[in-house]
Amino acid sequence: MEDYLNYNAIKRKEWQHFYKDSLLLITEEELQKIKGFNDKISLQDVKDIYVPLTHLIHLYMKEFESLQLSKGLFLHRYQTVPPFIIGIAGSVAVGKSTTARLLQIILQRTFKRRSVELITTDGFLYPNHVLNEKGIMDKKGFPESYNMERLITFLNEVKSGQEEIKAPLYSHEVYDIIPDEYEVITQPDILIVEGINTLQLPANQQIYVSDFFDFSIFVDAAPNLIEKWYLDRFGALLDYAKDKPENYYYQFTQWTKDEAFNMARNVWDTVNLPNLTQYILPTRNRADIILHKTDHHIIDEIYLRKY
């Protein structure tokens, strides 16, 4: 495919044979707990896709550590190995969060002596009151809605080995940043950073967020499929919120079903689809690996960057 000229295209049946491990590192119950709303994933996916992917990440980690050692030898000084950072990007509703949480568990259990932490870039969205002040509440999720300078500073602090780093906390329950609450990152060996904007170039900055990544993944699917998953997820969120007045989605449970879904389709057409086509998809070719999904969230093909 023309969009993937810089990649080796690998069918699922071929990929699953690259590395096998009879030891399952996650149970079915755990898998169901970590999957996102309306996402679909199975233990077979773990065996076929994520076990070989973890082995590939290990190869990148070994090369990364070897390079740090070589730099130290060149400089005639001892150098600590900075955290290995993995970026995961893709559209809203494509399944990035499930991929990130699953990878965190598998990496923790594969490399038992290493700490593996996970953050999402949602925490670096401007709070809703700031978005309203800027007049861009309807652009939430677009590049200008993120405090990218703060995200870059955060990643710089992680790489430099700072002991405790605070990351802002975002709640999907209230659809906003929680004031004065933070996630604390404490010198991880591996950090997973998940978000729609992880491969984007921030405005007025001369550095990509992806410059801090040592391995990056893009979760991909056809836009019409992602729209279906987005609407399916919206329906699942309505069911979840119907008895929770404090939940952001509760307000839409008071509408008729047609009214609620017409609003969701409008959000997809005017916000999420333009964001995907203008800002997210153009970053896909920066990823080391593209996980391509088809119907029912099945990963049918993997693209490995050539150079």
Side-chain angles (χ1 to χ4, degrees), residues 24-42:
L24 258 181
L25 297 169
I26 190 169
T27 66
E28 179 64 37
E29 184 180 3
E30 289 173 321
L31 193 60
Q32 294 309 309
K33 282 181 180 177
I34 66 166
K35 74 174 187 176
F37 274 100
N38 207 57
D39 201 355
K40 292 180 174 64
I41 192 165
S42 67

Side-chain angles (χ1 to χ4, degrees), residues 280-298:
I280 300 172
L281 277 179
T283 71
R284 181 175 57 193
N285 285 351
R286 294 184 190 141
D288 295 302
I289 278 279
I290 299 169
L291 301 178
H292 183 271
K293 289 185 171 185
T294 185
D295 295 330
H296 310 295
H297 282 271
I298 293 170

Side-chain angles (χ1 to χ4, degrees), residues 254-271:
Q254 307 306 296
W255 300 5
T256 67
K257 187 175 180 181
D258 283 346
E259 287 173 338
F261 274 89
N262 284 339
M263 183 278 298
R265 289 187 189 94
N266 183 61
V267 170
W268 173 262
D269 290 338
T270 61
V271 179

Side-chain angles (χ1 to χ4, degrees), residues 13-235:
K13 287 184 178 179
E14 182 183 4
W15 176 266
Q16 70 189 43
H17 293 297
F18 286 156
Y19 189 83
K20 292 191 174 184
D21 193 334
S22 59
L23 182 64
L24 258 181
L25 297 169
I26 190 169
T27 66
E28 179 64 37
E29 184 180 3
E30 289 173 321
L31 193 60
Q32 294 309 309
K33 282 181 180 177
I34 66 166
K35 74 174 187 176
F37 274 100
N38 207 57
D39 201 355
K40 292 180 174 64
I41 192 165
S42 67
L43 289 177
Q44 195 62 51
D45 294 322
V46 176
K47 290 179 183 177
D48 292 352
I49 305 298
Y50 289 93
V51 169
L53 178 58
T54 301
H55 180 60
L56 179 66
I57 291 171
H58 189 206
L59 296 179
Y60 274 73
M61 287 169 58
K62 287 195 292 187
E63 288 298 315
F64 171 73
E65 289 162 2
S66 176
L67 178 59
Q68 303 310 310
L69 176 62
S70 297
K71 284 181 181 178
L73 292 171
F74 175 77
L75 294 169
H76 301 289
R77 69 175 70 147
Y78 173 74
Q79 285 206 159
T80 57
V81 177
F84 187 88
I85 301 184
I86 300 169
I88 300 178
S91 172
V92 166
V94 79
K96 301 182 305 302
S97 297
T98 301
T99 293
R101 290 191 288 261
L102 177 56
L103 264 184
Q104 182 184 23
I105 290 175
I106 294 176
L107 289 170
Q108 281 173 333
R109 295 177 184 177
T110 301
F111 309 112
K112 295 180 180 177
R113 296 183 180 179
R114 306 191 191 208
S115 63
V116 185
E117 298 194 37
L118 165 66
I119 67 151
T120 73
T121 61
D122 290 342
F124 296 90
L125 283 161
Y126 288 111
N128 287 352
H129 72 90
V130 175
L131 295 176
N132 281 319
E133 287 168 7
K134 290 174 174 282
I136 55 170
M137 190 65 189
D138 60 343
K139 296 285 188 181
K140 192 169 184 176
F142 279 64
E144 60 264 38
S145 66
Y146 288 89
N147 188 340
M148 295 295 276
E149 187 173 348
R150 188 172 185 180
L151 176 56
I152 287 171
T153 298
F154 168 83
L155 291 172
N156 223 342
E157 290 172 345
V158 171
K159 276 293 189 185
S160 65
Q162 189 168 312
E163 286 189 11
E164 288 193 351
I165 310 163
K166 289 182 177 180
L169 196 59
Y170 184 87
S171 168
H172 289 275
E173 289 277 327
V174 298
Y175 197 62
D176 200 357
I177 301 293
I178 304 177
D180 304 318
E181 288 195 31
Y182 303 91
E183 290 184 77
V184 179
I185 304 299
T186 55
Q187 294 184 308
D189 298 302
I190 302 169
L191 176 67
I192 299 169
V193 181
E194 176 260 310
I196 61 176
N197 62 327
T198 55
L199 298 177
Q200 290 174 8
L201 177 65
N204 304 318
Q205 297 286 336
Q206 297 305 310
I207 187 169
Y208 289 95
V209 171
S210 58
D211 287 343
F212 294 95
F213 297 158
D214 305 295
F215 188 82
S216 55
I217 299 165
F218 190 97
V219 185
D220 194 24
N224 64 308
L225 277 180
I226 303 174
E227 178 185 8
K228 179 183 183 304
W229 299 338
Y230 172 77
L231 294 172
D232 288 346
R233 188 181 73 173
F234 178 76

